[in-house]
């Protein structure tokens, strides 16, 4: 078997919780990401889902070392990123780019679209001089469905969907292998979402890109991903091939999550039953050693509050779930 | 006005004075709301769905120019004095907005904020108001109401704050609750709880609901009737099944085709609506949807199609070619 493009092993990120402005002291540890492992093959899309605060964006930022992980390994093409020097890391980032959620906040308003898109290519020395850069910008803009003439304009002149295209063009400019898509579609209007989804698909098949796709909207994830990983409170609770996850989810949390997503089909919607999720997500500061979902789980038993369930195989094709009572359910 | 609709909106138009001149946000919106009914207004950003809600409740800023009628039990709200309008809001129309943190007073205890509404709009004394507020907190599912009433909004999560907003909206037993994107900022599991709560409590209070959203999924399970808006106009309206299963406007059809569905193994490719929603400053001539419409003909850029009932379609749609759209889509919208 060839090396996967990205391999994450036992990744942990602990943020200290401090109190006091002058005499700062640590009063607890927030386990934002706790022992997350996964692999991502070339050309594959891994969907990372979970509610706010589950650690999905922290995983993405740790992979790029935009924040420093507390423990674990991140292997990119077999090379351990966490032991790389800063300059090596800078070089490697050429191959791993990120597209952010907010197309308004992530583009510098004082730079022209041309400057924005050319910057990564110039930085990594892929183009030299103005002419080459201009040419690259034109190619990239056309690649994402924009006119090359937009290069002279500023981000504020564009709509949300167009800005997201600019963000994608910028990410593509350094010819990356891996694109981390951090909620790239959530802020867009429904009619625009489909355009961007199609664009991402085309880019993947044309350029052989690999995606780590982070989203809270499960229907987008079902559409774009090959494999899906569900996170809850810093942990992976279930991972499976796309259709297996949506058609026979095993973990009670995945089941509750799927049952909460509305379907644009009135007759179906009237017949559906929701699995109630009482309370809210508990704090990840000093979480329990047992199952983290126990406090809200409809299947909870005494043993769940005593024992930490490992992420174990529960089905074909490496379908795994971290639940002592994992059992398939049909919800859609 | 016994037997008439609860709320009747007719030819509602709204514009804003700006440096670009008058920017028209609404161009003649008409719909009715029956007592106890659940109406969904769906549209993308800039379609005018929120402006409609704000115009009806007299909450538009001072640079707004509003014309038309919005009759609540026969009385036109748009002609009402500001003072009377203040009583209508709260007593007869309750409101729930997208961001509860902006709507709750950060320096006032939760209980006191609900009491304030009750004291302002009813004859209840302090003690009665306090008893009512605890009862409301309990009804909207706030754990240990006695204690929660003494807390400040920042201690509550987004979902909990939205529950408090619903309690405030219902405090004076209104006839209508208008919820403007109440769950957009919430996680999907919390969203489901809030929508269910809204449905249950409004039913218990006998209030009609106008739910404004961009999410066709939410409305599928919630609404009795749907109003689809585009560029400041109603393009189609009808009962929920006819809109989802028999859309007659190309925009509605496009929306239904372009949503990704969690309950379906993936289809080959999504069929997006091309282009972008228009800016209200620069509306296309004729039918505002024509530059993005696959059915467009020369007449579409010349004449605005009225919202009317056409042969063979069970609900009104504002399209010159509604019949063609309705027959073409045969089977490929929602199964």
């Amino acid at each position: 078997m060839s090396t996967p493009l990205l391999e994450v092993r036992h990744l942990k990120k602990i943020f200290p919780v401090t109190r006091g402005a002058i005499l700062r002291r640590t009063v607890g540890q927030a386990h934002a990401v706790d022992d997350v492992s996964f692999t991502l093959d070339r050309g594959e899309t891994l969907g990372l889902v979970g509610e706010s605060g589950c650690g999905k964006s922290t995983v993405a930022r740790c992979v790029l070392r935009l924040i420093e992980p507390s423990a674990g390994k991140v292997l990119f093409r077999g090379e351990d990123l966490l032991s790389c020097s800063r300059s090596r890391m800078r070089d490697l980032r050429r191959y791993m780019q990120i597209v952010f959620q907010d197309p308004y906040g992530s583009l510098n308003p004082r730079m022209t679209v041309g400057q924005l898109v050319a910057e990564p290519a110039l930085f990594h020395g892929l183009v030299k001089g103005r002419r080459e850069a201009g040419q690259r910008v034109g190619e990239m803009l056309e690649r994402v469905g924009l006119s090359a003439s937009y290069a002279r304009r500023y981000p504020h002149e564009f709509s949300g969907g167009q800005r997201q295209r600019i963000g994608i063009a910028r990410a593509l400019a350094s010819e990356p292998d891996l694109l981390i898509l951090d909620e790239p579609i959530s802020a867009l209007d429904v009619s625009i979402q489909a355009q961007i989804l199609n664009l991402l698909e085309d880019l993947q098949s044309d350029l052989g890109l690999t995606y780590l796709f982070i989203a809270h909207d499960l229907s987008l994830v079902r559409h774009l991903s090959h494999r899906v990983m569900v996170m809850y409170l810093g942990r992976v609770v279930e991972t499976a091939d796309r259709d297996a996850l949506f058609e026979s989810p095993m973990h009670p949390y995945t089941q509750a999550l799927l049952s909460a997503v509305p379907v644009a089909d009135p007759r179906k919607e009237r017949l559906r039953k929701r699995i109630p999720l009482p309370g809210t997500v508990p704090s990840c500061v000093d979480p329990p050693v047992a199952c983290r979902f126990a406090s809200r789980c409809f299947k909870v038993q005494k043993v769940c509050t005593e024992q930490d369930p490992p992420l174990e195989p529960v089905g074909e094709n490496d379908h795994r779930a971290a639940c002592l009572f994992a059992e398939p359910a049909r919800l859609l | 006005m016994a037997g008439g609709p609860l709320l009747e909106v007719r030819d509602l138009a709204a514009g804003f004075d700006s440096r670009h001149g008058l920017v028209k946000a609404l161009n003649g919106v008409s719909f009715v709301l029956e007592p106890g009914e659940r109406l969904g207004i769906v549209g993308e950003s800039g379609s005018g769905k929120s402006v409609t809600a704000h115009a009806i409740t007299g909450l538009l800023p001072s640079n707004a120019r509003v014309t038309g009628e919005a009759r609540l039990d026969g009385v036109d709200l748009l002609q009402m004095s500001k003072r009377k309008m203040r009583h209508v809001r709260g007593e007869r129309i309750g409101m729930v907005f997208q961001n509860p943190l902006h709507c709750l007073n950060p320096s006032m205890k939760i209980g006191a904020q609900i009491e304030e509404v009750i004291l302002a709009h009813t004859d209840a004394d302090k003690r009665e108001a306090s008893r009512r507020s605890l009862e409301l907190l309990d009804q909207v599912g706030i754990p240990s109401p006695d204690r929660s009433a003494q807390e400040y909004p920042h201690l509550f999560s987004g979902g909990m704050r939205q529950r408090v907003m619903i309690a405030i909206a219902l405090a004076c037993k209104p006839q209508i609750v208008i919820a403007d994107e109440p769950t957009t900022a919430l996680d999907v599991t919390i969203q489901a709880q809030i929508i269910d709560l809204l449905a249950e409590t409004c039913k218990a209070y006998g209030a009609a609901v106008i739910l404004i959203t961009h999410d066709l999924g939410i409305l599928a399970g919630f609404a009795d009737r749907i109003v689809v808006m585009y560029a400041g106009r109603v393009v189609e309206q009808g009962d929920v099944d006819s809109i989802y299963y028999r859309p007659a406007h190309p925009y509605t059809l496009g929306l239904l085709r372009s949503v990704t569905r969690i309950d379906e193994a993936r289809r080959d490719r999504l069929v997006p609506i091309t282009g972008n929603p228009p800016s209200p400053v620069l509306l296309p001539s004729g039918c505002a949807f024509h530059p993005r419409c696959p059915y467009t003909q020369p007449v579409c850029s010349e004449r605005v199609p009225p919202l009317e009932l056409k042969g063979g379609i069970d609900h009104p749609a504002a399209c010159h070619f509604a019949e063609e759209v309705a027959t073409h889509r045969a089977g490929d919208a929602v199964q």
Side-chain angles (χ1 to χ4, degrees), chain B residues 110-287:
Chain B
I110 294 287
Q113 302 202 37
I114 303 178
E115 283 166 32
E116 186 183 39
V117 180
I118 298 169
L119 291 170
H121 294 296
T122 67
D123 305 330
D125 58 14
K126 186 82 177 71
R127 171 186 270 168
E128 168 66 11
S130 145
R131 191 194 58 78
R132 260 303 274 145
S133 75
L134 295 184
E135 186 184 295
L136 280 159
L137 284 175
D138 187 47
Q139 283 167 353
V140 297
I142 299 278
S144 43
D146 309 2
R147 198 150 35 97
S148 301
Q150 298 304 315
E151 304 211 359
Y152 291 93
H154 73 269
L155 289 171
F156 282 48
S157 66
M160 285 296 164
R161 286 183 203 132
Q162 207 55 291
R163 285 172 190 270
V164 173
M165 286 304 295
I166 293 176
I168 292 175
L170 290 170
C172 299
K173 307 192 168 110
Q175 295 164 286
I176 303 176
V177 171
I178 300 180
D180 188 358
E181 302 266 13
T183 59
T184 308
L186 304 176
D187 273 319
V188 61
T189 57
I190 310 295
Q191 165 177 292
Q193 291 173 7
I194 296 294
I195 295 292
D196 290 348
L197 177 72
L198 194 64
E200 277 163 33
T201 49
C202 289
K203 194 172 179 190
Y205 278 79
V209 190
I210 299 179
L211 177 61
I212 297 170
T213 177
H214 63 276
D215 189 331
L216 284 161
I218 294 177
L219 290 184
F222 182 87
D224 303 319
R225 237 156 29 81
I226 308 259
V227 168
V228 185
M229 290 191 67
Y230 187 79
R233 286 180 198 275
V234 175
V235 294
E236 183 166 16
Q237 59 173 306
D239 67 72
V240 63
D241 283 20
S242 59
I243 295 290
Y244 282 78
Y245 301 122
R246 297 178 293 281
H249 195 283
Y251 175 64
T252 316
L253 183 61
L255 273 186
L256 286 166
R257 276 189 189 163
S258 62
V259 291
T260 47
R261 288 184 46 170
I262 193 171
D263 59 329
E264 280 174 358
R266 53 159 309 169
R267 293 165 285 172
D268 290 344
R269 218 175 135 80
L270 293 169
V271 186
I273 301 176
T274 53
N276 292 293
S279 147
V281 187
L282 216 88
L283 276 188
S285 62
C287 171

Side-chain angles (χ1 to χ4, degrees), chain A residues 39 227 238-241 311-321:
Chain A
T39 58
R227 279 184 74 76
E238 183 162 3
T239 168
D241 282 348
L311 188 65
E312 279 182 336
V314 288
E316 291 167 4
N317 292 329
D318 208 26
H319 189 160
R320 287 166 180 268

Side-chain angles (χ1 to χ4, degrees), chain A residues 239-259:
Chain A
T239 168
D241 282 348
R242 171 191 49 210
D243 288 336
L245 189 103
F246 286 95
E247 273 154 29
S248 55
M250 295 279 195
H251 195 284
Y253 176 65
T254 314
Q255 294 169 0
L257 201 56
L258 289 181
S259 83

Side-chain angles (χ1 to χ4, degrees), chain A residues 249-285:
Chain A
M250 295 279 195
H251 195 284
Y253 176 65
T254 314
Q255 294 169 0
L257 201 56
L258 289 181
S259 83
V261 180
V263 177
D265 187 338
R267 280 179 210 135
K268 220 169 189 172
E269 196 61 20
R270 274 172 221 136
L271 297 173
R272 283 179 71 203
K273 289 252 182 315
R274 304 219 188 282
I275 298 173
L277 260 187
T280 45
V281 184
S283 157
C284 61
V285 179

